[in-house]
Amino acid sequence: MSTPAVQALILAGGLGTRMKSAVPKVLHDVLGHPILWYVVDALKDIDVRPIVVTPAADEPFRAAFGDRLTYAVQPEQHGSGHAVQCGMDYVSAEYVLVCNGDDPFPSAEDYREFLDESLAEHAEAAVLAAHLDDPGQLGRIVRTVDGAFAGIVEARDARPKQLDIREINTGIYLFRSAQLRAWLAQMKPNNAQGEYYITDCLAMAVQDGSHVHCPVARGAWEMSGVNDRAELALAAGLLQRRKLDHLYGEGVSVDMPGTVRIDWDVVVGRDTEIRQGSCLRGSTKVGSSSIIGPNTILVDAQVGDETTVLVSFVEGAAIGSNCTVGPFSYIRPGTLMAEGSKVGAFCELKASSLGAGSKVPHLSYIGDAAIAENVNVGAGTITCNYDGFTHAKHRTVIEKDVFIGANNNLVAPVTIHEGAYTATGSTITHDVPPEALAIARAVQVDKEGWVRRKKHGQ
Ligand code: UD1
Ligand code: CA
């Protein structure tokens, strides 16, 4: 028998009132992705183009997910059952997998297992249950004395005894589409919120003698859905633990894990140490045997092997292998540090390249510069890349084996040719020929006896 076609319907049409936010609830960030992304990601092997039910203002959804998804608008919020009704216009498959869009936890395996099992059971309706120590405001699974599924009751509609039930509705359902349409047509908003509940369709399925399947999720289920800021923080913490467990398994050490933040997509190689207070965000990738931190922030950064980044901020930059950065440096977008290069303390580099073995050890601003290999940039050197008028910044080129003396101003556009030296305190305003020494500073004048005359009139 061939597998029946299944489409996924993700419910994200709620206003998320409990978040008290201008941003739709499911678009809030958890470890570098909106909550809804995790649902879409987990479903990607099951259904190539999931349908997402959004509120009327769906622009932020389109901006975040583009045309990877099909969008079904729920013009007014009349509950999860109403959201499903709005989404069903886009469903043509025999089965529909309905899931809440506010739950980043279920994994691809959780969805897959539930789906396969429910299809194998030939269920007309199915819902995934889970046991929670603290079921809070979640819907409770009601069973008959012999354990058969009887229905779902929301916490606010529950009798006190039902509130003691710890088996909850995870918000993941499978329906045979034809039957679901019939049940949706019969829904009534007879509950504390005056809304149409998708959960009522399961009770209707039981009543009309359809086959309803209600398996209990395997493994520890710690929460279900994000409804407010406290749950958002809890969700981030739980997913962070999952991410850290994965990194430990890859041979990564994390010092003081409670103090770090590592986004979901970050990749770290084995024997690298992430030290306390560090934050690795976005698409950051770190190689092996490197040391990141303490107190280092990497945003969309690439770091090679055996590199140390100490107390620094790196964004949109690539740092090679065997490099050192910091303490207290700022590496900005477009910067490329080649193998074995060094940026020391209190330096800022922007859209610049630093060749192999080159060094910017102390207190420098290097912007829009191409620095070749084996260059030493003296302490306090500044590239003067902005003339105060033009939008385009001017470039500084420093060829290989150049030595820039301390406290230089390199007034761009300017090129220091191969092997040249510049004297300490120089303001270099034109190109320096190869292997020349450029001296561009006032000549020292010593006024003998000047202090004595000033102080004592002698
Ligand atoms: C819902 C379930 C509850 C379950 C819990 C699991 C209902 C009635 N209750 O409760 O049994 O234990 O999820 O996390 O479904 N939505 C819309 N349009 C609406 C209202 C909601 O699209 O008009 C969407 C929301 O964006 C959300 C999902 O449906 O993704 C669930 O809605 P929510 O209000 O979060 O329901 P819960 O109270 O969490
Ligand atoms: Ca919810």
Side-chain angles (χ1 to χ4, degrees):
M1 197 186 88
S2 66
T3 316
V6 179
Q7 271 175 287
L9 194 58
I10 306 174
L11 310 185
L15 294 179
T17 339
R18 289 168 275 181
M19 286 295 271
K20 301 208 164 72
S21 173
V23 177
K25 174 175 76 175
V26 299
L27 296 185
H28 277 258
D29 179 276
V30 175
L31 301 186
H33 288 296
I35 293 170
L36 178 59
W37 179 92
Y38 292 88
V39 184
V40 173
D41 190 61
L43 290 176
K44 70 176 185 291
D45 294 337
I46 297 173
D47 181 55
V48 271
R49 284 181 65 88
I51 303 145
V52 175
V53 181
T54 69
D58 64 353
E59 300 79 17
F61 289 83
R62 290 174 187 274
F65 292 93
D67 53 15
R68 184 149 71 106
L69 304 175
T70 301
Y71 303 93
V73 168
Q74 183 189 17
E76 284 171 359
Q77 281 52 52
H78 297 304
S80 54
H82 177 239
V84 174
Q85 260 172 338
C86 297
M88 284 307 282
D89 293 347
Y90 295 81
V91 173
S92 53
E94 188 182 353
Y95 284 94
V96 56
L97 178 73
V98 174
C99 36
N100 285 354
D102 67 351
D103 193 353
F105 303 105
S107 64
E109 293 71 46
D110 292 327
Y111 286 109
R112 164 67 67 192
E113 248 180 58
F114 168 70
L115 179 64
D116 288 351
E117 204 187 298
S118 305
L119 291 174
E121 283 274 330
H122 303 290
E124 260 110 24
V127 53
L128 184 64
H131 288 288
L132 279 195
D133 288 342
D134 176 13
Q137 289 306 300
L138 295 167
R140 310 299 205 262
I141 304 282
V142 180
R143 293 189 186 265
T144 61
V145 275
D146 52 8
F149 175 85
I152 296 169
V153 60
E154 291 306 300
R156 54 179 104 199
D157 302 311
R159 294 194 304 275
K161 254 207 127 65
Q162 290 174 318
L163 281 177
D164 292 339
I165 300 172
R166 294 202 173 157
E167 187 182 7
I168 59 98
N169 163 25
T170 61
I172 300 174
Y173 320 88
L174 181 74
F175 297 99
R176 196 183 273 273
S177 308
Q179 270 97 330
L180 177 60
R181 287 181 212 276
W183 295 321
L184 288 170
Q186 295 168 44
M187 279 186 307
K188 297 213 167 48
N190 293 335
N191 51 59
Q193 298 203 101
E195 287 187 345
Y196 295 92
Y197 287 171
I198 183 61
T199 47
D200 287 350
C201 292
L202 290 138
M204 289 182 217
V206 172
Q207 270 154 31
D208 71 14
S210 298
H211 178 29
V212 182
H213 181 53
C214 179
V216 178
R218 282 198 297 132
W221 210 270
E222 287 167 279
M223 65 187 289
S224 175
V226 169
N227 299 306
D228 57 25
R229 303 277 179 166
E231 285 174 352
L232 182 67
L234 209 59
L238 291 173
L239 284 177
Q240 183 68 96
R241 211 171 67 202
R242 209 181 275 181
K243 177 71 186 178
L244 288 174
D245 284 343
H246 172 76
L247 290 176
Y248 301 147
E250 302 274 288
V252 176
S253 288
V254 180
D255 176 33
M256 309 284 281
T259 68
V260 305
R261 168 183 166 145
I262 302 180
D263 273 359
W264 195 249
D265 287 347
V266 167
V267 176
V268 185
R270 70 164 58 184
D271 283 323
T272 285
E273 267 182 63
I274 312 293
R275 294 192 173 160
Q276 71 195 71
S278 293
C279 179
L280 281 61
R281 302 188 68 143
S283 59
T284 291
K285 284 195 173 59
V286 180
S288 49
S289 303
S290 288
I291 297 174
I292 305 301
N295 297 334
T296 286
I297 298 169
L298 305 179
V299 183
D300 301 328
Q302 313 283 311
V303 177
D305 305 329
E306 297 188 37
T307 283
T308 297
V309 186
L310 176 64
V311 202
S312 289
F313 188 115
V314 181
E315 182 169 12
I319 301 171
S321 295
N322 297 298
C323 293
T324 62
V325 173
F328 309 110
S329 278
Y330 181 23
I331 312 294
R332 293 170 51 193
T335 296
L336 300 172
M337 289 178 61
E339 161 105 30
S341 58
K342 171 184 173 165
V343 171
F346 303 104
C347 295
E348 176 177 343
L349 271 72
K350 191 268 292 185
S352 293
S353 55
L354 193 58
S358 288
K359 297 186 172 104
V360 184
H362 325 275
L363 299 152
S364 287
Y365 169 64
I366 304 295
D368 306 290
I371 301 178
E373 58 272 21
N374 196 32
V375 167
N376 190 84
V377 176
T381 292
I382 303 294
T383 52
C384 309
N385 57 341
Y386 181 47
D387 59 20
F389 293 99
T390 43
H391 286 296
K393 300 287 166 63
H394 299 298
R395 293 189 62 73
T396 300
V397 177
I398 304 180
E399 293 182 352
K400 67 175 185 175
D401 301 327
V402 161
F403 181 94
I404 305 289
N407 200 29
N408 273 212
N409 302 307
L410 306 174
V411 183
V414 70
T415 298
I416 323 292
H417 287 285
E418 192 175 325
Y421 275 46
T422 64
T424 295
S426 290
T427 294
I428 303 293
T429 54
H430 59 249
D431 295 359
V432 180
E435 298 196 324
L437 167 66
I439 307 172
R441 64 186 184 212
V443 175
Q444 183 170 336
V445 177
D446 300 326
K447 297 196 172 180
E448 291 289 343
W450 184 88
V451 176
R452 206 165 47 243
R453 285 195 298 280
K454 269 283 201 223
K455 278 192 174 162
H456 311 297
Q458 295 162 357

